[in-house]
């Protein structure tokens, strides 16, 4: 996966994390998840849209398999002190002061929002749906993998979600991890991505080539039901550093975005917008004073 230059990386990751971590428990869960390296934060953007029902396959209809092991983080004993330490570290990048009392309050709220309710699908169901999405997107066989599942209750109504991270067996620095977030009631896709731990920069060449758009539309089409088609597409960013980001409007009123990167135009991140594209992927170049 691509790596952002240090100064750009700090703006994209630190600014986004510190700016919205307070308001959203699902964003906080993502930011506090040590399974996700910092460079992945610039590739997966949590949707602010309120998910509506869509015609993706319901999670209850997805077969639960034993090919991978499921770890349900919501059933593990929460550690308040560890959470406070992680949150303090994340909040420090915002440049604002937070009292110990504020940090403790936010940590308790975060922990309370990591437990699913009766209406929510199980960790096993979430993993099955996430696996189905990622298999369509990347064609990966998850036999022997570990599916690390985390529940997040959101402040936005009807947008509670499960995030599932698939770890390769005998994982090392050459391995890829795969991630998908799904709505905790309907099982519909919110986002999907892959990432690795290499330190090399990925240079995306000839980003104005029309083949980028063709590849993006083909990748998005793989995730859509047969009765949903792409009605229009647009490039919202195209630079050698970040690759090419394309948003496609869909026939049912929703939208899907994909970011392609590298020589093979690999789809490193997807995001589904159930209510149509909200503009959150639009690229704004970083200015001299650090404002993008």
């Amino acid at each position: 996966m691509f790596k952002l230059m240090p100064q750009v990386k700090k703006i994209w990751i630190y600014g986004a994390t510190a700016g919205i971590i307070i308001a959203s428990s699902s964003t906080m869960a993502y930011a506090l998840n040590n399974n996700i390296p910092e460079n992945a934060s610039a590739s997966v953007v949590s949707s602010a849209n309120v998910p509506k029902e869509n015609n993706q396959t319901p999670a209850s209809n997805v077969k639960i398999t034993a090919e991978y092991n499921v770890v349900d983080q919501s059933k593990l004993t929460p550690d308040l002190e560890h959470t406070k330490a992680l949150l303090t570290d994340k909040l420090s990048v915002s440049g604002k002061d937070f009292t110990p009392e504020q940090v403790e309050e936010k940590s308790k709220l975060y922990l309370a929002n990591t437990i699913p309710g009766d209406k929510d699908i199980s960790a096993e169901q979430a993993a099955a749906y996430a696996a189905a999405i990622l298999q369509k997107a990347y064609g990966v066989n998850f036999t022997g993998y570990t599916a690390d599942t985390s529940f997040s209750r959101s402040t936005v109504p009807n947008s509670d979600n499960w995030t599932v991270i698939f770890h390769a067996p005998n994982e090392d620095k050459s391995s890829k991890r795969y991630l998908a977030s799904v709505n905790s009631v309907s099982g519909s896709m919110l986002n999907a991505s892959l990432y690795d731990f290499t330190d090399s920069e990925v240079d995306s060449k000839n980003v104005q080539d029309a083949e980028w758009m063709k590849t993006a539309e083909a990748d998005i089409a793989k995730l859509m039901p047969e009765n949903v088609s792409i009605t229009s597409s647009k490039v919202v960013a195209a630079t050698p550093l970040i690759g090419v980001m394309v948003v496609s409007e869909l026939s049912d009123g929703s939208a899907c975005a994909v970011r392609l990167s590298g020589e093979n135009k690999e789809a490193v991140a997807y995001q589904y917008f159930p209510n149509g594209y909200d503009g959150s992927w639009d690229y704004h170049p970083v200015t001299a004073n650090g404002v993008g």
Side-chain angles (χ1 to χ4, degrees):
M1 187 182 132
F2 86 115
K3 301 293 184 294
L4 292 173
M5 290 185 297
Q7 63 270 32
V8 181
K9 184 176 177 181
K10 289 180 180 179
I11 293 168
W12 280 43
I13 298 170
Y14 293 164
T17 300
I20 58 181
I21 193 174
I22 308 302
S24 170
S25 62
S26 59
T27 303
M28 186 185 294
Y30 181 86
L32 294 184
N33 195 327
N34 287 331
N35 287 315
I36 305 174
E38 284 190 337
N39 64 293
S41 301
S43 301
V44 184
V45 186
S46 295
S47 175
N49 285 349
V50 178
K52 64 183 179 183
E53 288 300 315
N54 60 74
N55 49 13
Q56 297 184 55
T57 306
S60 58
N61 294 340
V62 176
K63 182 180 179 181
I64 296 176
T65 177
E67 68 181 10
Y68 50 79
N69 179 49
V70 177
V71 177
D72 184 355
Q73 294 290 342
S74 71
K75 293 182 179 179
L76 301 181
T77 304
D79 186 332
L80 178 59
E81 293 304 315
H82 182 59
T83 303
K84 285 164 58 177
L86 288 175
L87 184 56
T88 298
D89 181 61
K90 295 292 182 180
L91 292 176
S92 65
V93 302
S94 68
K96 298 179 181 179
D97 293 327
F98 295 89
T99 66
E101 291 75 17
Q102 288 175 313
V103 171
E104 180 160 355
E105 180 183 356
K106 295 179 190 304
S107 297
K108 288 180 178 179
L109 178 62
Y110 159 72
L111 290 173
N113 287 331
T114 60
I115 308 299
D118 294 337
K119 66 179 178 62
D120 300 303
I121 61 178
S122 67
E124 289 75 17
Q125 287 176 309
Y129 196 80
I133 293 168
L134 292 165
Q135 285 166 347
K136 287 182 180 179
Y138 299 111
V140 61
N141 183 345
F142 287 120
T143 299
Y145 275 67
T146 296
D148 199 320
T149 63
S150 301
F151 176 83
S152 297
R153 195 171 308 285
S154 174
T155 56
V156 180
N158 304 316
S159 58
D160 299 346
N161 59 86
W162 284 96
T163 294
V164 185
I165 304 170
F166 286 89
H167 300 262
N170 303 314
E171 190 176 68
D172 57 29
K173 288 186 177 181
S174 66
S175 303
K176 290 182 178 179
R177 288 183 187 174
Y178 297 86
L179 178 151
S181 291
V182 300
N183 181 277
S184 71
V185 177
S186 67
S188 59
M189 169 181 150
L190 298 178
N191 54 55
S193 64
L194 64 82
Y195 53 90
D196 59 34
F197 304 91
T198 61
D199 295 325
S200 59
E201 298 285 348
V202 175
D203 184 18
S204 299
K205 299 178 180 179
N206 303 318
V207 294
Q208 304 304 323
D209 192 324
E211 287 299 316
W212 288 92
M213 176 76 81
K214 293 180 181 179
T215 301
E217 289 188 332
D219 286 338
I220 288 172
K222 288 189 299 186
L223 299 181
M224 297 300 108
E226 291 183 0
N227 60 333
V228 175
S229 59
I230 295 173
T231 58
S232 65
S233 299
K234 64 179 179 180
V235 175
V236 295
T239 75
L241 178 62
I242 66 172
V244 177
M245 299 165 71
V246 174
V247 176
S248 291
E249 300 290 347
L250 306 175
S251 59
D252 64 351
S254 64
C256 189
V258 62
R259 184 172 68 80
L260 309 177
S261 180
E263 183 178 352
N264 296 325
K265 299 179 177 60
E266 185 173 39
V268 293
Y270 296 86
Q271 185 180 346
Y272 179 66
F273 299 89
N275 297 323
Y277 179 55
D278 63 6
S280 60
W281 276 46
D282 289 359
Y283 175 65
H284 301 285
V286 177
T287 61
N289 61 2
V291 178

